[in-house]
Amino acid sequence: MDGLHTRRIELGLDRVRGVYERMPQLSCPVITIGGTNGKGSTAAMLESIYRVAGYRTGAYFSPHLVRYNERVQLNGEEATDDALCAAFAEVEGARGDVPLTYFEFGTLVAFLLFSRAHVDVAILEVGLGGRLDVVNIVDADVSVVVSVGTDHKDLLGPDRETIGREKAGIFRTGRPAIIGFDVSESVVQEARRLGAQARLGGRDFRYEDAGSGLRFTGVRGTLDLPYPPLRGAYQLANASCALAAAEALPALALTARDLREGLQAVRLAGRFQTLPGTGARVVLDVAHNREAAQALARTLGEQGVSGRTLGVVGMLRDKPVAEVFEVLRGSIDAWFLASLDDPRGADAAFLDDALHSVGVVAEGLYDDPVSAYEAALERAGPDDRVVVFGSFKTVGAILASRDDRRGGGGGGRVV
């Protein structure tokens, strides 16, 4: 796939739509989820709710942590190597001489597998932006924009308002558009311009922390629900968006019990994920932009420890590294900086310069995330906490190393 196109990312739909039209089409209800942060969590919650309710689910996530298979889920199970390879071959035959990017190729593979499996609902996470993302070749029955930040300015626009318009491009005329609690005004304006049925967080649906669980109020009334097992107060906002989306799709009936049990059953690696074991507490979080770093800092404060917090970080060079460090410098007591072996990866020296710029000295510089993680564990006491963050690739490296030690135990499973 990497060799099929001269660019890894090329926004636009004409090429890939032509290939899709030569393939089996999705014929089930579709929920498309975009946003800067929170879209993966929201998608996972929806998938869990519908699966618990007895529906056949197809869910498409990106990026993956350890294995490519994580991206394509059928009824909560990763697609097998054989199924993926057969679908790759079929897409290869359908594309002819049309060049497809890595993400376009993989998205068509997911659509093909969902179509062949006759899923009852397809839940699609947008890869980048919205309007020109390949996921948007399918007209969603319900679209969700969870949040808008300022990631990917080079591709999506110079400011939050412009980026919000791009993300709102997944909305459809006459169809429900779920708009989250941390969005730009341009998302609301674009929903209005497109003639979508906007349901706005804080106006048409809302939530509160009831102390013993999540209280959600939507167009059908108020429900008291359990907390989702995904940690962090921001996950209540994500859950509220998921519940609003489910409420907006009456074609697939759900009971209050489905919602309760579905929320309780959701699992998602790398979102303030606590690893089991003795000794220092270990937390994995894929936070890699300013807004996600702010959420991580809040959750670290909410889930405090009596000892120190040691940070293991590896990031891509094109992310706002210094901004992330500025946000988290008050939450982390010792920094272990790791190089990422990726064309876009920052080396530890680059991270060290950024850390110095916010007035912090690193504990150590390492060639890779696993070396940095092991060094942090060696220096951590039983009352301390080690938090690994900065990139899907950083968290994925730690999960993969744990899998290797256990003989491939599945630590990178997404749902």
Side-chain angles (χ1 to χ4, degrees):
M1 288 190 291
D2 275 330
L4 287 176
H5 200 284
T6 56
R7 298 173 62 185
R8 189 171 179 85
I9 298 172
E10 181 173 331
L11 297 177
L13 303 180
D14 290 341
R15 289 174 300 100
V16 69
R17 182 181 283 118
V19 179
Y20 179 61
E21 289 171 352
R22 297 195 288 271
M23 295 169 48
Q25 309 285 295
L26 285 175
S27 58
C28 62
V30 172
I31 302 175
T32 299
I33 304 169
T36 302
N37 297 303
K39 56 184 181 288
S41 298
T42 304
M45 292 180 196
L46 276 166
E47 191 282 332
S48 182
I49 287 169
Y50 283 113
R51 177 164 42 85
V52 164
Y55 293 107
R56 293 167 296 179
T57 61
Y60 182 49
F61 297 94
S62 67
H64 61 275
L65 286 165
V66 179
R67 295 175 301 281
Y68 186 90
N69 312 59
E70 298 166 22
R71 295 179 180 236
V72 183
Q73 309 246 342
L74 292 161
N75 294 320
E77 297 291 333
E78 297 172 6
T80 65
D81 290 352
D82 287 346
L84 286 169
C85 288
F88 286 138
E90 191 163 343
V91 173
E92 174 67 11
R95 77 175 182 88
D97 60 357
V98 177
L100 297 175
T101 67
Y102 178 101
F103 190 73
E104 289 168 345
F105 206 124
T107 302
L108 292 179
V109 163
F111 290 175
L112 177 60
L113 289 175
F114 296 163
S115 175
R116 289 278 160 76
H118 302 290
V119 299
D120 296 314
V121 60
I123 299 158
L124 311 177
E125 180 184 350
V126 171
L128 178 68
R131 180 177 65 92
L132 298 177
D133 186 88
V134 57
V135 166
N136 204 33
I137 62 174
V138 174
D139 291 325
D141 296 272
V142 178
S143 302
V144 184
V145 173
V146 182
S147 65
V148 175
T150 53
D151 227 2
H152 301 295
K153 285 184 178 180
D154 55 329
L155 293 168
L156 300 179
D159 52 50
R160 193 166 180 251
E161 294 299 319
T162 305
I163 292 170
R165 278 190 290 274
E166 287 296 312
K167 293 187 182 297
I170 62 175
F171 295 158
R172 292 295 189 270
T173 301
R175 297 187 181 183
I178 308 302
I179 300 173
F181 299 87
D182 184 21
V183 300
S184 57
E185 179 60 28
S186 59
V187 176
V188 181
Q189 294 170 351
E190 191 67 5
R192 188 180 301 122
R193 187 188 73 80
L194 292 169
Q197 298 175 6
R199 298 190 182 185
L200 183 60
R203 185 190 73 185
D204 303 303
F205 65 96
R206 57 189 179 275
Y207 72 94
E208 60 179 301
D209 185 341
S212 58
L214 165 66
R215 180 166 294 149
F216 170 77
T217 301
V219 297
R220 299 180 190 172
T222 298
L223 275 175
D224 284 316
L225 300 163
Y227 292 122
L230 306 181
R231 294 173 182 265
Y234 61 94
Q235 293 291 2
L236 300 185
N238 294 336
S240 186
C241 288
L243 293 165
E247 192 177 49
L249 190 63
L252 298 180
L254 295 167
T255 66
R257 180 179 178 180
D258 296 331
L259 300 176
R260 292 189 183 97
E261 294 185 356
L263 279 185
Q264 285 181 307
V266 69
R267 299 292 183 270
L268 190 64
R271 277 68 168 187
F272 212 86
Q273 175 188 4
T274 301
L275 297 183
T278 58
R281 181 180 175 191
V282 176
V283 173
L284 308 180
D285 197 283
V286 296
H288 57 268
N289 56 43
R290 182 178 184 85
E291 293 82 8
Q294 290 169 337
L296 175 57
R298 286 194 298 272
T299 309
L300 288 171
E302 294 162 1
Q303 307 282 333
V305 292
S306 58
R308 300 187 306 158
T309 294
L310 290 71
V312 175
V313 56
M315 296 188 68
L316 299 179
R317 187 177 279 266
D318 54 9
K319 297 301 179 183
V321 177
E323 291 183 25
V324 168
F325 289 176
E326 174 68 32
V327 169
L328 285 164
R329 68 174 182 171
S331 303
I332 293 175
D333 302 299
W335 295 72
F336 298 76
L337 308 180
S339 298
L340 285 185
D341 183 17
D342 182 273
R344 296 163 56 205
D347 59 32
F350 180 92
L351 300 181
D352 193 38
D353 288 342
L355 194 61
H356 274 286
S357 75
V358 301
V360 179
V361 176
E363 190 81 7
L365 280 63
Y366 301 88
D367 291 336
D368 56 80
V370 173
S371 298
Y373 174 65
E374 290 174 346
L377 286 180
E378 287 177 4
R379 301 187 199 182
D383 296 325
D384 293 339
R385 170 174 59 189
V386 175
V387 56
V388 180
F389 70 97
S391 172
F392 279 80
K393 294 181 180 296
T394 306
V395 170
I398 304 310
L399 289 171
S401 72
R402 289 169 60 85
D403 276 1
D404 289 343
R405 286 195 291 269
R406 291 183 304 215
R413 183 185 174 87
V414 175
V415 176

